[in-house]
């Protein structure tokens, strides 16, 4: 698959806190893609993702689950692709063809280490990346993957985005909004047995941070268990705006309304009263 022009975002997106840009369109169309991932079968999983995207034309952003090419595999030597590999190349090609951003995480090998890496790929081939900071010790993820060291803010078409991956969701201090983002994207392989915490936490993160939360989880089964999906867009009041059908591969088209978000923040300025702190 053609990769198009691939370039990683500069230091502003890595470390900066880009200002909110209210000019231009006030809404963004988003498609949440809840896939049933076939275990360690990248080519088939990319084909499934491509079919889901193609059947939902017109969105500006398509969001896929955590490790959407392989499933949540604890044998990265089998699952990981090199930095700039086939998964990222497909994302860049799909972003160009559909004139939309594509987001999701992939197991990646770089410099002899393995990362659970979130990519946000724009239509022009440029991309930002975030390596999962909170590795899931319960499954041994910390023993085979290397944790990320940076919290990232990504700007896309006037919307400031905080990417997180699965277990990151449980850490509110890390996620705390310092008036620097408008949307959390959380991609996950979150098992059905813990669906109640998932549904509770995505609502809590939206409420406490006065933001939208696009929470995209996988469906189906693998050798680790079952996944109910529970993929949703949550609004800043903690209410579901749109959601996928439970337990099966599904997509849902929705949008975020930046004018409504800005109005809510001005009317009820919770973020102005937030505690001051510094992350180590």
């Amino acid at each position: 698959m053609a990769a198009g022009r691939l370039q990683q975002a500069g230091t502003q997106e890595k470390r900066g806190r880009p200002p909110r840009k209210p000019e231009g369109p006030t809404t963004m169309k988003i498609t949440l893609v809840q896939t049933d991932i076939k275990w360690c079968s990248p080519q088939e999983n990319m084909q499934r993702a491509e079919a889901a995207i193609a059947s939902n034309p017109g969105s500006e952003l398509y969001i896929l689950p955590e490790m959407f090419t392989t499933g949540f595999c604890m044998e990265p030597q089998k699952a990981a692709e090199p930095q700039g590999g086939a998964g990222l190349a497909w994302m860049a090609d799909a972003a160009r063809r559909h004139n939309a951003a594509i987001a999701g995480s992939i197991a990646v090998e770089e410099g002899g280490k393995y990362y659970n890496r979130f990519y946000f790929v724009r239509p022009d081939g440029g991309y930002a990346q975030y390596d999962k900071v909170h590795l899931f010790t319960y499954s041994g993820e910390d023993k085979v993957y290397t944790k990320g060291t940076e919290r990232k803010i990504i700007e896309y078409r006037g919307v400031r985005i905080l990417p997180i991956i699965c277990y990151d969701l449980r850490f509110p201090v890390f996620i705390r909004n310092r008036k620097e983002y408008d949307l959390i994207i959380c991609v996950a392989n979150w098992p059905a047995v813990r669906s109640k915490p998932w549904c509770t936490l995505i609502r809590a993160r939206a409420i406490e941070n006065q933001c939208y939360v696009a929470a995209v989880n996988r469906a189906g089964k693998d050798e680790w268990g079952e996944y109910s999906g529970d993929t949703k867009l949550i609004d800043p009041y903690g209410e579901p705006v749109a959601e996928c059908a439970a337990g099966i591969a599904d997509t849902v088209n929705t949008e975020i309304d930046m004018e409504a978000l800005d109005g809510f923040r001005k009317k009820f300025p919770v973020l102005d009263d937030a505690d001051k702190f510094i992350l180590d």
Side-chain angles (χ1 to χ4, degrees), residues 155-171:
E155 194 278 331
Y156 176 64
R157 296 185 178 177
V159 178
R160 301 167 304 166
I161 301 166
L162 175 74
I164 63 173
I165 302 175
C166 203
Y167 192 48
D168 284 331
L169 183 64
R170 290 182 177 268
F171 299 91

Side-chain angles (χ1 to χ4, degrees), residues 37-43 45 69-71 73 75 78-79:
I37 302 171
K38 185 173 180 181
W39 189 251
C40 287
S41 300
Q43 203 63 36
N45 290 321
T69 61
T70 59
C73 180
E75 296 180 281
K78 295 180 180 179

Side-chain angles (χ1 to χ4, degrees), residues 89-259:
W90 170 79
M91 293 175 79
D93 183 54
R96 176 187 57 78
R97 287 185 288 103
H98 296 284
N99 190 31
I102 311 290
S105 98
I106 296 174
V108 173
E109 185 276 326
E110 183 177 22
K113 297 180 179 179
Y114 299 105
Y115 299 90
N116 187 344
R117 180 164 290 171
F118 177 104
Y119 288 120
F120 188 99
V121 185
R122 297 184 182 80
D124 66 358
Y127 70 96
Q129 66 184 47
Y130 158 72
D131 292 334
K132 187 176 182 181
V133 168
H134 299 93
L135 300 179
F136 191 39
T137 55
Y138 184 79
S139 71
E141 185 182 17
D142 60 313
K143 293 179 172 58
V144 292
Y145 289 91
T146 298
K147 68 178 294 184
T149 59
E150 291 186 271
R151 182 176 182 271
K152 303 290 183 74
I153 304 294
I154 299 165
E155 194 278 331
Y156 176 64
R157 296 185 178 177
V159 178
R160 301 167 304 166
I161 301 166
L162 175 74
I164 63 173
I165 302 175
C166 203
Y167 192 48
D168 284 331
L169 183 64
R170 290 182 177 268
F171 299 91
V173 174
F174 178 75
I175 295 170
R176 184 63 178 168
N177 192 355
R178 292 167 282 178
K179 301 177 73 172
E180 61 195 327
Y181 67 80
D182 311 299
L183 168 67
I184 295 171
I185 295 178
C186 180
V187 300
N189 271 223
W190 195 289
V193 69
R194 291 189 287 278
S195 64
K196 186 174 182 178
W198 165 264
C199 293
T200 301
L201 290 169
I202 59 177
R203 296 183 71 175
R205 298 296 88 91
I207 293 167
E208 68 195 10
N209 295 299
Q210 272 194 320
C211 69
Y212 287 96
V213 176
V216 179
N217 190 28
R218 67 157 296 179
K221 300 179 181 179
D222 64 19
E223 65 178 47
W224 296 94
E226 297 186 19
Y227 303 85
S228 54
D230 298 309
T231 292
K232 307 175 193 288
L233 178 69
I234 307 295
D235 72 14
Y237 296 89
E239 296 298 327
V241 175
E243 54 192 319
C244 291
I248 60 171
D250 193 25
T251 56
V252 65
N253 299 310
T254 185
E255 65 179 30
I256 60 173
D257 186 331
M258 295 304 300
E259 186 174 11

